[in-house]
Every structure is written in structure tokens, then in C-alpha cells.
Amino acid sequence: MHAIVSRGGWTRSGTWVAVPWVDPHAAELLFRHEVLSLLRNAGLIDEERISLLFSWKHTGFSVHNSVTVAPEDAAGAERLVRYLMRAPVSQQRLEIDEETTEVRVRAKSGADDAATAEESETLDPDEAVARIWRRSPSHGNT
């Protein structure tokens, strides 16, 4: 999930109050807490699973706040939104075997590892999703 979030907010009197800096690690921990609380309250996760998730070295969440867009920078806002909406992998590169449910992922033409479009890898569905997730913009890979 991606979100574009303002660095500030409006007071009840209508005054904009800017927040000059947000600690990304603190925001990451707060976001994790809120998401897990939401899932727990909806009955989608239990306390045992939450404790397990809190024990992990990495939170599973990431906050990237070094890109800012000034209010008058419409072109910058459009570039940011286009980047966030970009799919991590093209559907044209994916094939699903209906019988085995295996996923074949073809390499991109001109990929950094000199792979050609004819090269591919066959994965089980869970591994395919994990690989695609790791390539998503929020994880710093493209």
C-alpha cells in the first residue's frame, strides 16, 4: 500500500500548521501499530500473531519521506503519483499454469542481469507474490 500524506494539517479555526520533519522510523512503528490494531479489532488477526510480528527484526512496514512536493509543483505531484501507481511487474510477463497453479515470470528485456525476454523462472504462487512485492516501489526496487 502506498499513501501520499501531507506534512501538516488544518486547525479547527482553518489555519494550516506545517510539520517540518517526520521521523520515518517513528512513523513506521506508529503505522504498524495502527494497522495491526485495525486487523485485530476486525477479528482478522489474534494477539499471538501480533506478538510474533512484533518479535521480528524488521517491522514489515516502511516509511519513505525524503521526497517532497511543493504545493505549487503540479508536475512534481503528477510524477510522484505516477510512480506510486506503477505496477511492480507487467502482466505481460506473467503466465499461470492452470493445472499446477505455478507462475512463470519472464525476465524483462534489457534487465540489469542481461536477461532476455525469453528467459523465465517458474515459481509457486506464494513465492511469485513475495518476489513481486520485493520489487515494488515501496521496497526501493524497480
Side-chain angles (χ1 to χ4, degrees):
M1 175 178 76
H2 288 101
I4 297 176
V5 180
S6 66
R7 279 197 182 164
W10 299 98
T11 66
R12 289 180 195 248
S13 64
T15 304
W16 175 260
V17 178
V19 176
W21 183 77
V22 174
D23 179 336
H25 182 66
E28 175 184 319
L29 295 177
L30 177 62
F31 185 64
R32 175 181 65 168
H33 173 77
E34 293 297 321
V35 168
L36 294 178
S37 293
L38 177 74
L39 293 172
R40 181 189 58 235
N41 294 342
L44 298 172
I45 193 169
D46 61 21
E47 291 297 330
E48 183 179 349
R49 179 63 59 163
I50 290 173
S51 293
L52 175 65
L53 293 172
F54 280 145
S55 74
W56 292 0
K57 179 179 178 181
H58 300 288
T59 66
F61 292 83
S62 174
V63 171
H64 173 76
N65 67 350
S66 64
V67 175
T68 59
V69 179
E72 64 279 356
D73 185 3
E78 182 176 344
R79 281 191 306 276
L80 180 59
V81 170
R82 285 182 182 274
Y83 173 74
L84 292 174
M85 292 178 58
R86 194 182 77 212
V89 67
S90 168
Q91 287 183 334
Q92 295 171 337
R93 293 180 44 219
L94 300 176
E95 294 176 24
I96 299 175
D97 184 318
E98 298 286 334
E99 293 178 26
T100 66
T101 69
E102 291 179 323
V103 179
R104 182 176 171 193
V105 182
R106 288 189 308 278
K108 288 192 288 187
S109 297
D112 292 340
D113 61 356
T116 64
E118 289 76 34
E119 293 177 333
S120 66
E121 186 172 8
T122 302
L123 307 166
D124 68 68
D126 290 337
E127 179 63 19
V129 169
R131 297 256 185 112
I132 290 168
W133 177 254
R134 286 192 300 261
R135 292 181 180 167
S136 70
S138 66
H139 286 81
N141 301 315
T142 55

